[in-house]
Amino acid sequence: MQKIVIIGAGIASLTAAEALRQNGFDGTITILGEENTLPYQRPPLSKAYLTSDELPSPTPIRSPNFFRDNKVEFEQGGKVIALERSAKQVVIQGGRKIKYDTLILATGARPRPIDLPGESAKNVFYLRNLDHSTALRNALLAPECEKVAILGAGVIGLEVASAANLQGKQVSVFEANSRAMCRVASPLTSNFVRNRMASAGVMFYFNASVNQILTEGDRVSGIRLSDGTTKPADVVVIGIGAIPNAELAQDANLDCDGGIIVDSGMRSSDPDIFAIGDCAKAVNVSTNTPIRIETIHNAMLQAQIAAAHICGKPSPPASPPRFWSDLNGMKVQCIGIATGYDRIQRRPTESDNACEFWLFSGDRMIATETVNLPTRQAKLSKALSG
């Protein structure tokens, strides 16, 4: 095995390249990135990037010296349009082909589109990359922007709502489900977060079905709910989930089902192709069932697992998934997956602005959730891993 090609230029791909070198791989590593920029951190795009007084530079995932120090070839601005498995090569837009011995797919995910009249109007935004964040930031800072409507009360939606609220905008969040963060947190944590965001001025509308984005000319002017109610808006942000970028794998007839199916070593149905990060669907230690997880922690762990298997080295120890978010001055941190629990225990905290919840299935603790208790994470992670 002499050449490894990694498609994607996020934290998963760079972690994989680094881990391959640490595990002794001395062949060629090539990372193919679609954007015309060095790999950058994505979490700040929905947080500090939107609220800075001056347009900040994207935060690099690694220093520019990373590629030289690890002898990694990085090609930016080249979209991979096909995998040719029999020839073991990838096809770049324009026709150029690159050979591989082992291929790692770290293609990530993209925002789930919404199919509504008016969705293509100006000042309707999705948020995934640097261009998206820059355009949204400019719209929020415009003098005519007073009212912001967020469709979706997941993590991204709440982060944008927090940023807009901190800028003094009138923010309304519309969620089809009965509560915020329903896919990633328990009701106790999501209600704690919602109450504090509401006290800061964010309006929440649950069980709310939006059936039209209203426009005046080519610009958004508001939204219409299924009950006929209309709400004015100068900016609309859509955050209703993500879709894995699995089309390359599907077109190459790899096993896919809501993500690229991989085994415990992150190997796909083709033994020479691995998948990691947001595009991969793997059995997780917290669920014992295949699941796709969109977190930095998961992307890095899967990258390390794939690199170890490629190099024939022991895998890193399993650890429960985790995610974090900054919302209106709150640091929300969760370990494990908030599904399958039958009991929640609230732990005492010294401040009313903090909370800690333990989630149990029977006698087994399967997840923890904290707000404004960052120093608790190491101990809680150890308790879950044990």
Side-chain angles (χ1 to χ4, degrees):
M1 183 169 56
Q2 296 299 318
K3 185 174 181 61
I4 294 177
V5 172
I6 306 174
I7 302 177
I11 187 66
S13 61
L14 268 66
T15 302
E18 188 174 45
L20 285 166
R21 293 301 188 213
Q22 291 171 346
N23 281 295
F25 179 75
D26 60 3
T28 300
I29 300 175
T30 300
I31 295 177
L32 304 176
E34 185 173 333
E35 294 182 73
N36 286 301
T37 182
L38 289 172
Y40 57 86
Q41 298 279 6
R42 293 183 185 269
L45 299 182
S46 55
K47 304 179 184 72
Y49 199 88
L50 296 177
T51 56
S52 299
D53 292 336
E54 297 182 1
L55 181 64
S57 299
T59 305
I61 295 176
R62 296 286 189 271
S63 75
N65 294 335
F66 168 86
F67 301 99
R68 182 199 64 200
D69 295 344
N70 289 277
K71 298 180 180 178
V72 173
E73 299 174 2
F74 176 63
E75 294 190 21
Q76 64 187 41
K79 182 177 181 179
V80 178
I81 60 172
L83 311 181
E84 295 182 348
R85 291 169 53 193
S86 58
K88 299 186 73 170
Q89 60 190 14
V90 303
V91 183
I92 309 295
Q93 195 167 46
R96 187 165 65 95
K97 299 181 179 182
I98 299 177
K99 291 279 190 180
Y100 66 83
D101 295 302
T102 296
L103 178 66
I104 300 176
L105 300 175
T107 50
R110 63 187 184 276
R112 183 179 299 278
I114 198 167
D115 184 15
L116 290 179
E119 183 266 345
S120 60
K122 288 183 180 178
N123 278 10
V124 176
F125 297 95
Y126 295 89
L127 184 55
R128 185 65 182 180
N129 60 33
L130 182 61
D131 289 344
H132 292 163
S133 185
T134 300
L136 175 57
R137 179 182 182 277
N138 291 340
L140 291 174
L141 292 175
E144 62 270 20
C145 177
E146 297 180 354
K147 298 179 174 65
V148 178
I150 314 289
L151 308 191
V155 174
I156 290 294
L158 294 188
E159 288 177 349
V160 175
S162 174
N165 174 255
L166 290 173
Q167 292 176 346
K169 310 302 179 183
Q170 299 176 41
V171 182
S172 299
V173 179
F174 301 87
E175 169 58 50
N177 291 293
S178 59
R179 62 182 179 89
M181 297 193 299
C182 63
R183 289 185 293 272
V184 298
S186 72
L188 293 181
T189 295
S190 64
N191 289 341
F192 185 95
V193 169
R194 179 209 63 198
N195 290 341
R196 276 153 180 76
M197 291 186 69
S199 68
V202 178
M203 299 290 294
F204 286 93
Y205 300 85
F206 295 109
N207 300 307
S209 176
V210 178
N211 64 11
Q212 184 179 0
I213 296 175
L214 304 174
T215 60
E216 291 182 359
D218 62 351
R219 299 181 66 86
V220 67
S221 62
I223 63 168
R224 185 188 306 277
L225 302 179
S226 58
D227 64 3
T229 303
T230 62
K231 302 287 185 180
D234 304 303
V235 166
V236 171
V237 182
I238 299 170
I240 57 173
I243 298 174
N245 293 324
E247 285 77 10
L248 285 173
Q250 291 169 345
D251 292 344
N253 295 316
L254 297 178
D255 290 346
C256 297
D257 179 19
I260 305 168
I261 301 298
V262 294
D263 64 14
S264 60
M266 302 299 116
R267 182 178 276 109
S268 75
S269 53
D270 182 326
D272 296 318
I273 300 179
F274 292 71
I276 56 177
D278 291 2
C279 68
K281 190 173 183 180
V283 173
N284 186 270
V285 64
S286 293
T287 62
N288 292 319
T289 58
I291 187 172
R292 194 175 62 82
I293 300 175
E294 300 169 12
T295 67
I296 296 295
H297 173 265
N298 182 70
M300 295 179 68
L301 179 60
Q302 289 187 347
Q304 293 163 352
I305 291 172
H309 277 256
I310 290 170
C311 296
K313 299 294 179 66
S315 286
S319 65
R322 64 186 69 185
F323 87 89
W324 63 273
S325 182
D326 290 327
L327 302 168
N328 277 86
M330 296 176 286
K331 181 169 286 294
V332 182
Q333 296 172 289
C334 301
I335 304 176
I337 297 178
T339 59
Y341 58 89
D342 51 37
R343 179 168 60 93
I344 302 178
Q345 182 180 115
R346 179 164 188 165
R347 306 294 295 175
T349 58
E350 295 181 358
S351 169
D352 290 340
N353 290 321
C355 64
E356 178 176 326
F357 300 108
W358 294 1
L359 282 60
F360 291 86
S361 175
D363 293 330
R364 184 171 67 93
M365 185 167 68
I366 61 172
T368 66
E369 301 170 344
T370 63
V371 178
N372 293 333
L373 294 171
T375 60
R376 290 284 294 154
Q377 291 306 287
K379 180 175 288 189
L380 293 174
S381 179
K382 185 178 294 186
L384 279 172
S385 300

